[in-house]
Amino acid sequence: MSRPVLEIRNLSVPLPRGADRGYAIEDLSLTVAPGEIVCVVGESGSGKSVTAGAVMGLLPPVLKPSAGQILLEGEDLLKAGPARMRRLRGGRMAMVFQEPMTALNPALRVGDQVAEMLEAHAGRLGRGARRDKVRQLLADVHLPNPESLARAYPHQLSGGQRQRVMIAMALANDPALIIADEPTTALDVTTQAQILKLMRELQARREAGILFITHDFGVVSEIADRVVVMRTGRLVEEGPAESVLCRPQDPYTRMLIAAVPRAEPPPPRARPSLVSPVLATRDLTKNYGGRGLFGGGRPVQALDGISIALQPGETLGIVGESGSGKSTLARCIARFVDPTAGHVRIGGDDIALLPARALHPYRRRIQVIFQDPYRSLNPRRTVGQSIVEGPMNYGLSREAATARAKNLIALVGLDAGALARYPHAFSGGQRQRIAIARALAMEPDVLIADEAVSALDVSVQRQVLELLEAIRERLNLAILFITHDLRVAARLCDRLIVMLDGRIVEEGATAALFADPKHAYTRALFAAAPVMKAPPVEAVP
Amino acid sequence: MGRFILGRLAATLPVMGVVAVIVFLLLRLAPGDPAAILAGDAATPEQIAAIRARLGLDQPMLEQFATWIWRLVHGDLGTSIISNQPVGRLILDRIEPTLALATSTILFAVLVAVPLGVLAAWRHGTWVDRAVMGLSVAGFSVPVFVLGYLLIFGFSMQLRWLPVQGYVSIADGLWPFLSRLILPTLTLSVIYIALIARTTRSSVLEVLGEDYIRTARAKGVTEARVLRRHALRNAAIPVISVIGLGIALLISGVVVTESVFNLPGLGRLTVDAVLARDYPVIQGVILLFSALYVLVNLSIDLSYLLFDPRIRY
């Protein structure tokens, strides 16, 4: 094997005083060979992004490597001055970030942003040559009409297209090393599959080494040559992808791999007997735009005649990619937005077009858990205040509401002391438990979970899913489970509905739908989902 | 977009109408009688009544209003009660000093404040940042007239570098014109420098935390270019809004500054007219100011198009 493009030797980065541990990364060593894809896997807080930042020299000032070496093609980056680092960044090493929505400058044309890479490093290139090179790069990442696309602004592109632009940018100066920090996490599964394929293809052609950071073992099994598993700043396991995935040695690695939701539905539960549905929609339709003072904007049909029914105790999964209308459906049912037409029945009453005043008694009966537990709880109110507020709005006394809050916080697996603390004191998973307790405090008939576990680490995701399973058994709760992730849906849902462009394209019992997807789009979703190729591993408790 | 501009211009008409009604009513409701002022202390009630009749002030209010509006839509702002000159003529005579002072103030304020704000944001948390923010608090706190007289005392009376007050038209030479504009501009711009520097700092600071700034740094772009090309443009909109607001507020600032430095501008015209209850002049000046205000706002909204491609009208 030739000289590695990247060699990290015994790198340590201390955390500022007062943090929950001494080091962000401690005594880390890893190498990336030319033409190799090394996946760094870990949950949030594992130090994988700090590793990327240390290599690029882009750590915030409070984080300073205290020991070790980072060798890029043999040159120690920790000894390089700012000017030298600037030459290397974008020149010999380049980075692709997680959020294609925010990682591109919204005020500049994408062609100019790619060209900036050339201006900063290949100054001798003339204007015309630069333009040709940009066009070539955009074509290399398979963007349609590179000529006109170069003149587009980021907001005019889809998420996948933006990520392709980011990749084109990273490739501009033929770097020896590309660091990709969760490059597909924010993308739809079908887009993710395309981007992974693209990275594979480009890497094979260019012989660059790729340091690929991810939390998703599904992605790892699709793309990695070698795997490095990190936990709280330390390397816990390293090896060729196949051996780590199939024969993980470290208990933590085994736990991570076991926690990955498998795209295999569990055996169907005893189906709840068919009584009258707690929630039903008929021909629910929602149009956006097309009106307003100046009549601007094309009307968008976000929901097109959706009819669903949810039995007591049943969990119905709504699966779709961004733009499919699944979140709009949740918002229309919860009446956060007003449907354009159709019916939403709660019990026997149609609330679809009720005015806001008349909605009050129905609000209690539908509760929502949102995606981002960091933003859905009011940071200035204690957890207890957040939980009792709703029931007290509906006439419960403070004592009774507090007693209920105590029961619920225990039910979701937190101790009663949590009620007196503020949301910032909790981790993402704990916050999501609080959000569940808050929703349950209203004693709803229907719980809507809108991507409620999508922002969580796999191990935490698994715990929250187990909690939801336990609760629905105990309370005979009907759950509308909205997700983009088929693997998660498989685990929890009795029935599934697949949505595309505001319509239901397929519907059926989870096991049946997984065994024999009928619609082409459902099949495409299944094909794109990164699936663990390795056999399941027993989790170590 | 043409439609947007036309719509906005059409929307100014009702605004101007409301302004016209309110100005007219407030003036008549305020105490003080222009006829009495005009007639002097020794006048008899008959003399005052005669003046009132000559000026048309004895007509019913509705009729006075109708007459004024009728002339207005024909482009006639009326005639000054005191000097007997057409209001339009008076405004034209006085507009040059005000325009010169307002333009130099805004230009100077922007040229000083934006780099200061960017610097403070870039060196966030350092002594540079604290110094800029401290100066900005000071700028907010010093009243215009205090600062004006302090500057006159220092630069004109002690150092004798600049004339104390007065105005010379640009037509009579650049240096005489500029030398008399420097102190008023400094005085008036301090508060705008404070305002714009603060807004620039917080806006740039927010943008510097964005992902695309990290992307730019990852591309190996120099810091100067990161600030200029990636940060400033995205931070521009709040700053532009505040500059627009500043131009609108300038109208009141100009009145005091013109008094301190004895500049024969619109501000002085307004003060004199108010003191003499010269109704037509006050009405004319306020209508002009409100029209300017509407136009400034429109151009601010249009300038957003230059900075943010996501905005479409």
Side-chain angles (χ1 to χ4, degrees):
Chain A
M1 199 160 73
S2 52
R3 183 179 68 168
V5 287
L6 176 71
E7 191 174 0
I8 298 179
R9 287 188 193 151
N10 309 103
L11 180 70
S12 290
V13 179
L15 281 170
R17 220 185 297 239
D20 59 346
R21 60 179 206 251
Y23 288 88
I25 38 183
E26 196 173 357
D27 202 23
L28 176 77
S29 299
L30 62 84
T31 58
V32 180
E36 187 183 40
I37 300 184
V38 176
C39 275
V40 178
V41 197
E43 299 193 289
S44 34
S46 62
K48 55 194 197 301
S49 287
V50 174
T51 308
V55 175
M56 293 294 287
L58 288 174
L59 288 178
V62 290
L63 295 178
K64 280 200 172 55
S66 61
Q69 287 179 309
I70 301 174
L71 304 176
L72 178 74
E73 299 180 290
E75 177 178 359
D76 190 351
L77 299 182
L78 295 181
K79 294 209 175 72
R84 178 67 190 151
M85 279 306 280
R86 208 157 48 230
R87 302 249 22 108
L88 292 173
R89 276 202 296 269
R92 298 308 299 155
M93 56 182 174
M95 194 154 174
V96 177
F97 295 97
Q98 171 169 3
E99 268 295 341
M101 298 294 163
T102 55
L104 290 171
N105 188 332
L108 296 177
R109 297 177 196 277
V110 294
D112 293 342
Q113 298 194 50
V114 177
E116 190 174 36
M117 205 63 170
L118 302 169
E119 286 162 36
H121 297 282
R124 298 174 311 278
L125 225 52
R127 227 171 211 289
R130 224 159 35 212
R131 210 175 40 236
D132 292 343
K133 182 89 200 270
V134 168
R135 204 163 46 213
Q136 184 56 48
L137 284 164
L138 294 177
D140 283 352
V141 295
H142 308 308
L143 281 165
N145 308 320
E147 191 84 24
S148 60
L149 199 125
R151 286 194 302 273
Y153 288 99
H155 71 275
Q156 295 164 324
L157 307 184
S158 70
Q161 288 177 323
R162 289 184 220 197
Q163 202 59 304
R164 283 173 195 268
V165 171
M166 279 298 290
I167 293 170
M169 203 145 80
L171 295 174
N173 296 310
D174 271 315
L177 174 71
I178 296 173
I179 301 179
D181 188 357
E182 303 263 10
T184 59
T185 306
L187 302 175
D188 284 329
V189 275
T190 48
T191 316
Q192 166 169 296
Q194 292 161 10
I195 295 286
L196 290 178
K197 187 167 154 245
L198 172 70
M199 293 193 75
R200 261 269 175 235
E201 172 201 322
L202 292 172
Q203 180 260 357
R205 221 164 58 200
R206 297 192 180 229
E207 279 292 294
I210 298 184
L211 189 67
F212 194 106
I213 292 171
T214 181
H215 67 281
D216 188 336
F217 264 106
V219 171
V220 173
S221 76
E222 300 265 328
I223 200 169
D225 295 318
R226 273 190 319 121
V227 180
V228 170
V229 182
M230 287 182 73
R231 180 190 197 184
T232 57
R234 291 163 177 279
L235 184 148
V236 295
E237 182 159 2
E238 186 195 357
E242 218 235 71
S243 78
V244 173
L245 287 169
C246 300
R247 294 177 298 281
Q249 300 301 309
D250 190 87
Y252 179 70
T253 315
R254 286 190 215 178
M255 189 280 287
L256 275 186
I257 293 178
V260 174
R262 322 204 75 80
E264 294 154 17
R269 297 191 295 154
R271 282 298 300 278
S273 58
L274 282 176
V275 283
S276 63
V278 284
L279 169 77
T281 69
R282 216 176 70 227
D283 300 330
L284 196 61
T285 299
K286 174 70 190 173
N287 300 330
Y288 282 112
R291 274 180 299 173
L293 195 54
F294 295 104
R298 279 171 304 146
V300 177
Q301 193 154 33
L303 289 182
D304 185 6
I306 300 290
S307 302
I308 62 168
L310 186 59
Q311 304 291 333
E314 186 187 37
T315 304
L316 174 62
I318 312 275
V319 182
E321 297 191 295
S322 44
S324 63
K326 59 188 193 305
S327 283
T328 305
L329 177 61
R331 286 184 204 135
C332 280
I333 292 173
R335 279 299 307 272
F336 297 146
V337 297
D338 299 331
T340 309
H343 308 275
V344 177
R345 283 189 210 288
I346 287 290
D349 306 325
D350 189 349
I351 65 161
L353 303 168
L354 281 186
R357 263 174 304 112
L359 273 174
H360 183 76
Y362 299 100
R363 290 253 182 239
R364 185 191 64 74
R365 298 167 66 177
I366 304 178
Q367 289 297 312
V368 185
I369 308 164
F370 298 95
Q371 171 167 7
D372 190 342
Y374 288 89
R375 293 193 305 187
S376 57
L377 291 166
N378 186 335
R380 303 262 182 273
R381 317 199 74 188
T382 64
V383 167
Q385 284 170 338
S386 285
I387 297 178
V388 300
E389 184 183 20
M392 284 174 62
N393 273 344
Y394 283 87
L396 207 63
S397 72
R398 180 172 291 278
E399 292 71 38
T402 310
R404 190 185 283 178
K406 282 201 178 110
N407 283 333
L408 286 170
I409 210 78
L411 178 72
V412 299
L414 297 173
D415 65 71
L419 293 176
R421 295 158 75 192
Y422 289 90
H424 68 81
F426 297 92
S427 69
Q430 287 171 325
R431 285 182 212 214
Q432 211 56 316
R433 287 168 190 271
I434 293 165
I436 293 171
R438 191 217 54 80
L440 293 178
M442 302 294 278
E443 305 194 320
D445 299 341
V446 177
L447 194 63
I448 300 178
D450 188 0
E451 298 279 10
V453 298
S454 304
L456 305 175
D457 281 330
V458 275
S459 61
V460 182
Q461 187 178 64
R462 178 186 163 120
Q463 292 161 10
V464 173
L465 285 173
E466 277 164 6
L467 173 66
L468 283 172
E469 272 171 356
I471 286 170
R472 77 174 171 194
E473 294 299 334
R474 225 166 116 174
L475 306 177
N476 195 31
L477 199 63
I479 302 179
L480 199 60
F481 192 85
I482 290 166
T483 182
H484 69 280
D485 192 336
L486 271 171
R487 301 171 298 178
V488 173
R491 150 129 210 192
L492 194 70
C493 301
D494 302 311
R495 269 193 313 132
L496 286 181
I497 281 173
V498 181
M499 283 185 70
L500 174 68
D501 297 334
R503 283 191 210 95
I504 294 177
V505 296
E506 188 157 2
E507 173 171 12
T510 307
L513 201 128
F514 268 71
D516 182 20
K518 297 274 190 297
H519 195 274
Y521 177 69
T522 316
R523 284 204 289 270
L525 272 184
F526 276 108
V531 181
M532 296 283 305
K533 288 171 187 132
V537 207
E538 278 311 301
V540 176
Chain B
M1 195 173 89
R3 205 165 133 192
F4 169 79
I5 297 175
L6 283 181
R8 282 286 297 266
L9 285 176
T12 62
L13 287 177
V15 174
M16 300 290 288
V18 171
V19 170
V21 172
I22 291 178
V23 169
F24 186 88
L25 278 181
L26 278 181
L27 282 179
R28 263 90 187 152
L29 290 176
D33 182 354
I37 294 172
L38 203 57
D41 290 344
T44 63
E46 290 74 30
Q47 286 174 313
I48 293 177
I51 293 174
R52 289 180 66 87
R54 179 165 62 79
L55 296 177
L57 293 173
D58 57 344
Q59 307 286 317
M61 221 193 278
L62 203 64
E63 207 162 299
Q64 289 183 40
F65 184 70
T67 315
W68 178 52
I69 293 294
W70 179 252
R71 287 190 180 151
L72 209 56
V73 296
H74 288 85
D76 178 7
L77 286 170
T79 308
S80 163
I81 295 175
I82 308 296
S83 65
N84 251 331
Q85 295 204 31
V87 172
R89 169 93 252 141
L90 282 173
I91 289 178
L92 276 184
D93 284 348
R94 301 291 198 102
I95 207 162
E96 190 195 300
T98 304
L99 219 54
L101 177 58
T103 313
S104 63
T105 300
I106 283 295
L107 276 181
F108 181 68
V110 170
L111 287 179
V112 173
V114 170
L116 274 185
V118 172
L119 192 69
W122 188 51
R123 287 270 164 256
H124 167 62
T126 64
W127 65 269
V128 180
D129 182 22
R130 281 194 290 277
V132 171
M133 285 304 96
L135 281 177
S136 140
V137 171
F140 271 122
S141 332
V142 182
V144 168
F145 56 90
V146 172
L147 185 67
Y149 288 123
L150 279 177
L151 287 176
I152 291 176
F153 180 76
F155 287 97
S156 305
M157 296 165 73
Q158 297 297 314
L159 296 170
R160 297 186 177 279
W161 288 356
L162 296 165
V164 175
Q165 44 177 224
Y167 179 77
V168 172
S169 169
I170 191 164
D172 301 328
L174 190 62
W175 175 243
F177 167 76
L178 283 180
S179 66
R180 283 169 180 79
L181 214 53
I182 289 174
L183 289 185
T185 300
L186 275 178
T187 309
L188 190 52
S189 60
V190 161
I191 191 158
Y192 298 106
I193 291 174
L195 187 70
I196 297 169
R198 253 180 186 279
T199 313
T200 307
R201 173 184 177 270
S202 63
S203 186
V204 170
L205 203 53
E206 195 183 317
V207 169
L208 284 180
E210 295 284 349
D211 286 351
Y212 52 81
I213 297 295
R214 189 184 53 182
T215 306
R217 288 189 173 135
K219 284 156 97 173
V221 171
T222 58
E223 277 300 293
R225 199 178 159 99
V226 168
L227 288 175
R228 210 181 55 242
R229 188 162 182 207
H230 292 276
L232 200 52
R233 187 165 168 186
N234 282 289
I237 286 196
V239 179
I240 299 282
S241 306
V242 163
I243 293 173
L245 199 69
I247 294 176
L249 289 174
L250 206 55
I251 291 163
S252 60
V254 154
V255 173
V256 179
T257 312
E258 285 183 1
S259 299
V260 170
F261 291 96
N262 198 21
L263 299 179
L266 285 180
R268 288 290 304 285
L269 179 67
T270 316
V271 173
D272 294 344
V274 168
L275 291 178
R277 300 291 183 276
D278 195 343
Y279 292 165
V281 175
I282 305 176
Q283 288 164 359
V285 171
I286 291 184
L287 271 188
L288 174 74
F289 282 165
S290 58
L292 280 177
Y293 185 82
V294 169
L295 285 181
V296 165
N297 266 313
L298 179 60
S299 20
I300 294 293
D301 282 353
L302 291 179
S303 77
Y304 291 166
L305 291 172
L306 291 177
F307 292 98
D308 192 340
R310 287 167 296 185
I311 295 177
R312 284 276 161 272
Y313 294 125

